[in-house]
Amino acid sequence: MRESILAILSKLEDDYEVRILYACEAGSRSYGVENEKSDYDIRFIYIAPLRRYLSIIPVDDTISYKQGEWDIQGWDIQKALRLALKSNPSLYEWAHSPVFYMKDEELTDKLRTLAQKEFSKRTLVAHYTNMAKRNLRAFEEKGAPSSLYQGLRASLMAENLSMDGVAATILMTELIAESIHFSHHDLKNVLDLKNKATNQSFNGLLGKIRACIEQAQQQETRLPHTKPDINGIQELFFRKLGI
Protein backbone atom coordinates (compact mmCIF):
# COMPACT_ATOMS: atom_id res chain seq x y z
CA MET A 1 0.00 0.00 0.00
CA ARG A 2 2.87 2.36 0.77
CA GLU A 3 4.09 2.04 -2.81
CA SER A 4 0.64 3.02 -4.11
CA ILE A 5 0.57 6.06 -1.85
CA LEU A 6 4.04 7.17 -2.93
CA ALA A 7 3.02 6.73 -6.57
CA ILE A 8 -0.01 8.99 -6.09
CA LEU A 9 2.07 11.61 -4.28
CA SER A 10 4.69 11.48 -7.03
CA LYS A 11 2.01 12.00 -9.66
CA LEU A 12 0.64 15.00 -7.75
CA GLU A 13 4.15 16.47 -7.70
CA ASP A 14 4.38 16.10 -11.47
CA ASP A 15 0.83 17.31 -12.19
CA TYR A 16 1.14 20.44 -10.05
CA GLU A 17 4.90 21.02 -10.54
CA VAL A 18 5.64 21.04 -6.82
CA ARG A 19 7.87 19.14 -4.41
CA ILE A 20 6.33 17.44 -1.38
CA LEU A 21 8.32 18.06 1.79
CA TYR A 22 6.18 16.19 4.29
CA ALA A 23 3.34 13.66 3.92
CA CYS A 24 1.59 11.86 6.76
CA GLU A 25 -1.61 10.15 7.87
CA ALA A 26 -4.07 12.46 9.58
CA GLY A 27 -7.18 10.36 10.27
CA SER A 28 -7.99 7.13 12.07
CA ARG A 29 -4.70 5.57 10.97
CA SER A 30 -2.75 8.31 12.69
CA TYR A 31 -4.90 7.87 15.83
CA GLY A 32 -4.23 4.11 15.86
CA VAL A 33 -7.90 3.15 15.61
CA GLU A 34 -8.25 2.18 11.95
CA ASN A 35 -10.06 -0.90 10.72
CA GLU A 36 -10.10 -2.76 7.41
CA LYS A 37 -12.62 -0.27 5.97
CA SER A 38 -10.76 2.89 6.98
CA ASP A 39 -9.86 5.41 4.30
CA TYR A 40 -6.38 6.82 3.90
CA ASP A 41 -6.52 10.44 5.09
CA ILE A 42 -3.17 11.73 3.85
CA ARG A 43 -2.01 15.29 4.38
CA PHE A 44 1.11 16.92 2.98
CA ILE A 45 3.10 20.14 2.78
CA TYR A 46 4.63 21.09 -0.55
CA ILE A 47 6.84 23.78 -2.02
CA ALA A 48 6.47 25.35 -5.46
CA PRO A 49 9.10 26.95 -7.74
CA LEU A 50 10.34 30.34 -6.53
CA ARG A 51 8.76 32.21 -9.46
CA ARG A 52 5.31 31.24 -8.20
CA TYR A 53 5.86 33.09 -4.92
CA LEU A 54 6.94 36.20 -6.86
CA SER A 55 3.99 36.19 -9.24
CA ILE A 56 1.45 39.02 -9.24
CA ILE A 57 -1.21 36.44 -10.14
CA PRO A 58 -2.76 34.72 -7.10
CA VAL A 59 -2.12 30.99 -7.07
CA ASP A 60 -3.85 28.15 -5.28
CA ASP A 61 -2.25 27.15 -1.99
CA THR A 62 -4.07 23.81 -1.62
CA ILE A 63 -3.99 20.56 -3.57
CA SER A 64 -6.78 18.00 -3.19
CA TYR A 65 -7.19 14.46 -4.48
CA LYS A 66 -10.18 12.30 -3.55
CA GLN A 67 -10.89 8.97 -5.14
CA GLY A 68 -12.13 5.75 -3.59
CA GLU A 69 -10.28 5.08 -0.35
CA TRP A 70 -7.95 8.05 -0.89
CA ASP A 71 -8.60 11.39 0.79
CA ILE A 72 -5.46 13.42 0.12
CA GLN A 73 -4.91 17.12 0.71
CA GLY A 74 -1.80 19.28 0.69
CA TRP A 75 -0.94 22.80 1.78
CA ASP A 76 1.66 25.06 0.24
CA ILE A 77 4.54 25.63 2.67
CA GLN A 78 3.74 29.34 2.86
CA LYS A 79 0.16 28.60 3.92
CA ALA A 80 1.33 25.95 6.39
CA LEU A 81 3.88 28.23 8.03
CA ARG A 82 1.41 31.11 8.27
CA LEU A 83 -1.01 28.78 10.02
CA ALA A 84 1.79 27.61 12.31
CA LEU A 85 2.00 31.18 13.59
CA LYS A 86 -1.63 30.76 14.71
CA SER A 87 -1.01 27.40 16.44
CA ASN A 88 -3.22 25.62 13.93
CA PRO A 89 -4.67 22.37 15.38
CA SER A 90 -4.42 20.47 12.09
CA LEU A 91 -0.70 21.22 11.86
CA TYR A 92 -0.34 20.18 15.51
CA GLU A 93 -1.78 16.78 14.63
CA TRP A 94 0.26 16.45 11.43
CA ALA A 95 3.41 17.13 13.42
CA HIS A 96 2.57 14.32 15.85
CA SER A 97 1.40 11.78 13.29
CA PRO A 98 3.19 8.45 13.85
CA VAL A 99 2.64 7.47 10.20
CA PHE A 100 4.45 9.41 7.50
CA TYR A 101 5.35 8.71 3.88
CA MET A 102 7.71 11.54 2.92
CA LYS A 103 9.68 13.99 5.03
CA ASP A 104 12.21 16.73 4.66
CA GLU A 105 14.21 16.42 7.88
CA GLU A 106 14.62 20.15 8.47
CA LEU A 107 10.94 20.99 7.97
CA THR A 108 9.79 17.96 9.96
CA ASP A 109 12.05 18.74 12.92
CA LYS A 110 11.03 22.40 12.89
CA LEU A 111 7.32 21.58 12.68
CA ARG A 112 7.52 19.17 15.62
CA THR A 113 9.54 21.62 17.70
CA LEU A 114 7.05 24.39 16.99
CA ALA A 115 4.09 22.18 17.86
CA GLN A 116 5.59 20.92 21.10
CA LYS A 117 7.28 24.06 22.41
CA GLU A 118 5.84 27.15 20.74
CA PHE A 119 2.22 26.47 19.82
CA SER A 120 -0.29 28.06 22.20
CA LYS A 121 -1.73 25.36 24.44
CA ARG A 122 -4.51 27.75 25.34
CA THR A 123 -5.51 28.08 21.69
CA LEU A 124 -5.36 24.32 21.16
CA VAL A 125 -7.36 23.46 24.29
CA ALA A 126 -10.01 26.01 23.33
CA HIS A 127 -10.26 24.38 19.91
CA TYR A 128 -10.63 20.85 21.25
CA THR A 129 -13.10 21.74 24.01
CA ASN A 130 -15.29 23.52 21.47
CA MET A 131 -14.98 20.52 19.15
CA ALA A 132 -15.96 18.19 21.98
CA LYS A 133 -19.01 20.31 22.87
CA ARG A 134 -20.19 20.49 19.25
CA ASN A 135 -19.94 16.74 18.81
CA LEU A 136 -21.56 16.04 22.17
CA ARG A 137 -24.57 18.15 21.16
CA ALA A 138 -24.68 16.47 17.75
CA PHE A 139 -24.68 13.01 19.31
CA GLU A 140 -27.42 13.94 21.77
CA GLU A 141 -29.56 15.38 18.98
CA LYS A 142 -28.97 12.85 16.19
CA GLY A 143 -27.18 9.89 17.75
CA ALA A 144 -24.51 9.71 15.03
CA PRO A 145 -21.73 7.32 16.19
CA SER A 146 -19.06 9.47 14.54
CA SER A 147 -20.09 12.41 16.72
CA LEU A 148 -19.54 10.44 19.93
CA TYR A 149 -16.19 9.21 18.63
CA GLN A 150 -15.06 12.72 17.71
CA GLY A 151 -16.37 14.05 21.03
CA LEU A 152 -14.29 11.50 22.92
CA ARG A 153 -11.19 12.15 20.81
CA ALA A 154 -11.46 15.92 21.21
CA SER A 155 -11.94 15.53 24.98
CA LEU A 156 -8.83 13.35 25.21
CA MET A 157 -6.82 15.89 23.20
CA ALA A 158 -7.98 18.75 25.43
CA GLU A 159 -7.15 16.73 28.53
CA ASN A 160 -3.70 15.79 27.24
CA LEU A 161 -2.84 19.38 26.37
CA SER A 162 -4.02 20.75 29.71
CA MET A 163 -2.06 18.24 31.84
CA ASP A 164 1.47 18.93 33.09
CA GLY A 165 4.31 16.49 32.43
CA VAL A 166 2.41 14.37 29.91
CA ALA A 167 3.94 13.53 26.54
CA ALA A 168 2.16 15.02 23.54
CA THR A 169 0.45 12.41 21.38
CA ILE A 170 -2.53 11.89 19.09
CA LEU A 171 -2.66 8.09 19.49
CA MET A 172 -5.94 7.21 21.17
CA THR A 173 -4.51 4.37 23.26
CA GLU A 174 -1.76 6.63 24.62
CA LEU A 175 -4.25 9.42 25.34
CA ILE A 176 -6.46 6.93 27.20
CA ALA A 177 -3.48 5.59 29.17
CA GLU A 178 -2.76 9.09 30.54
CA SER A 179 -6.41 10.04 31.06
CA ILE A 180 -7.97 10.54 34.48
CA HIS A 181 -11.49 10.59 33.00
CA PHE A 182 -11.61 7.75 30.48
CA SER A 183 -10.68 4.07 30.27
CA HIS A 184 -9.76 1.64 27.52
CA HIS A 185 -13.24 0.18 28.00
CA ASP A 186 -14.73 3.56 27.04
CA LEU A 187 -12.62 3.65 23.88
CA LYS A 188 -13.58 0.09 22.92
CA ASN A 189 -17.28 0.84 23.36
CA VAL A 190 -17.10 3.98 21.23
CA LEU A 191 -15.18 2.20 18.47
CA ASP A 192 -17.70 -0.66 18.59
CA LEU A 193 -20.49 1.88 18.18
CA LYS A 194 -18.64 3.57 15.33
CA ASN A 195 -18.24 0.18 13.66
CA LYS A 196 -21.90 -0.67 14.35
CA ALA A 197 -21.03 -3.49 16.74
CA THR A 198 -23.07 -2.34 19.75
CA ASN A 199 -26.28 -0.55 20.68
CA GLN A 200 -25.68 0.02 24.38
CA SER A 201 -26.37 3.19 26.36
CA PHE A 202 -23.62 5.79 26.60
CA ASN A 203 -25.05 8.01 29.34
CA GLY A 204 -22.08 7.32 31.61
CA LEU A 205 -19.58 8.25 28.91
CA LEU A 206 -21.48 11.44 28.06
CA GLY A 207 -21.11 12.47 31.70
CA LYS A 208 -17.37 11.79 31.55
CA ILE A 209 -17.03 13.92 28.42
CA ARG A 210 -18.90 16.80 30.09
CA ALA A 211 -16.65 16.54 33.16
CA CYS A 212 -13.53 16.47 30.99
CA ILE A 213 -14.67 19.53 29.04
CA GLU A 214 -15.40 21.43 32.23
CA GLN A 215 -12.02 20.62 33.75
CA ALA A 216 -10.15 21.49 30.55
CA GLN A 217 -11.94 24.84 30.37
CA GLN A 218 -10.98 25.55 33.98
CA GLN A 219 -7.34 24.81 33.15
CA GLU A 220 -7.43 26.80 29.92
CA THR A 221 -6.78 30.24 31.45
CA ARG A 222 -3.62 29.07 33.23
CA LEU A 223 -2.10 27.59 30.10
CA PRO A 224 0.61 29.53 28.24
CA HIS A 225 -0.64 31.61 25.34
CA THR A 226 2.61 31.46 23.39
CA LYS A 227 3.20 32.40 19.77
CA PRO A 228 5.79 30.84 17.46
CA ASP A 229 8.78 33.00 16.57
CA ILE A 230 8.04 34.53 13.17
CA ASN A 231 11.72 35.18 12.42
CA GLY A 232 12.66 31.52 12.75
CA ILE A 233 9.72 30.47 10.59
CA GLN A 234 10.59 33.07 7.98
CA GLU A 235 14.19 31.89 7.82
CA LEU A 236 13.04 28.32 7.32
CA PHE A 237 10.83 29.43 4.44
CA PHE A 238 13.71 31.28 2.82
CA ARG A 239 16.06 28.29 3.18
CA LYS A 240 13.54 25.92 1.60
CA LEU A 241 13.28 28.34 -1.34
CA GLY A 242 17.07 28.54 -1.61
CA ILE A 243 17.20 32.25 -0.78
Side-chain angles (χ1 to χ4, degrees):
M1 189 59 68
R2 185 180 181 86
E3 290 75 15
S4 298
I5 293 169
L6 291 174
I8 293 173
L9 294 175
S10 178
K11 187 174 187 307
L12 290 174
E13 287 184 313
D14 292 340
D15 290 348
Y16 290 91
E17 298 181 339
V18 299
R19 179 164 59 93
I20 295 176
L21 300 175
Y22 182 66
C24 67
E25 284 287 345
S28 60
R29 295 177 188 278
S30 70
Y31 308 142
V33 293
E34 74 276 9
N35 59 41
E36 65 277 2
K37 296 181 181 179
S38 295
D39 290 338
Y40 288 84
D41 299 297
I42 301 168
R43 302 295 180 260
F44 64 90
I45 298 172
Y46 65 88
I47 192 166
L50 176 60
R51 61 195 295 268
R52 243 180 253 183
Y53 298 101
L54 303 177
S55 174
I56 61 173
I57 302 171
V59 295
D60 291 336
D61 56 10
T62 302
I63 295 172
S64 295
Y65 176 89
K66 291 187 179 183
Q67 183 174 323
E69 63 186 330
W70 312 112
D71 183 343
I72 304 176
Q73 186 176 97
W75 287 347
D76 182 271
I77 187 174
Q78 192 173 54
K79 175 177 182 173
L81 294 179
R82 283 173 175 166
L83 288 173
L85 290 171
K86 299 178 180 180
S87 301
N88 180 268
S90 293
L91 273 179
Y92 180 85
E93 294 193 18
W94 297 7
H96 290 97
S97 176
V99 184
F100 55 87
Y101 301 105
M102 302 172 70
K103 67 173 184 176
D104 171 275
E105 293 290 348
E106 183 180 27
L107 176 64
T108 302
D109 290 346
K110 181 64 174 178
L111 186 60
R112 289 179 179 171
T113 298
L114 286 170
Q116 292 177 5
K117 297 182 179 180
E118 297 186 35
F119 273 28
S120 168
K121 284 193 172 184
R122 192 183 303 180
T123 295
L124 292 168
V125 168
H127 166 80
Y128 285 112
T129 53
N130 286 331
M131 179 180 172
K133 287 190 287 186
R134 286 196 309 273
N135 280 280
L136 185 62
R137 285 196 300 270
F139 180 73
E140 292 173 328
E141 292 171 3
K142 300 180 180 179
S146 59
S147 296
L148 183 59
Y149 163 72
Q150 290 294 353
L152 172 62
R153 193 183 76 81
S155 298
L156 286 165
M157 290 295 295
E159 182 183 27
N160 176 267
L161 284 157
S162 62
M163 293 173 69
D164 295 324
V166 175
T169 182
I170 62 172
L171 285 167
M172 295 282 276
T173 54
E174 293 183 359
L175 291 168
I176 285 284
E178 297 289 351
S179 176
I180 61 174
H181 292 282
F182 305 102
S183 68
H184 288 282
H185 185 67
D186 292 323
L187 176 59
K188 180 182 182 303
N189 287 340
V190 169
L191 293 177
D192 284 345
L193 177 66
K194 185 169 179 280
N195 298 325
K196 300 179 181 179
T198 184
N199 58 0
Q200 69 177 71
S201 170
F202 286 90
N203 289 334
L205 179 59
L206 298 181
K208 290 182 180 181
I209 292 176
R210 292 189 192 96
C212 183
I213 291 171
E214 181 178 355
Q215 183 168 343
Q217 287 181 314
Q218 291 173 353
Q219 294 291 331
E220 185 182 319
T221 55
R222 75 165 184 83
L223 294 172
H225 189 37
T226 53
K227 188 172 183 179
D229 174 32
I230 189 172
N231 293 320
I233 291 177
Q234 184 112 294
E235 285 303 315
L236 173 65
F237 180 55
F238 290 157
R239 283 197 301 276
K240 292 296 103 180
L241 286 174
I243 297 176

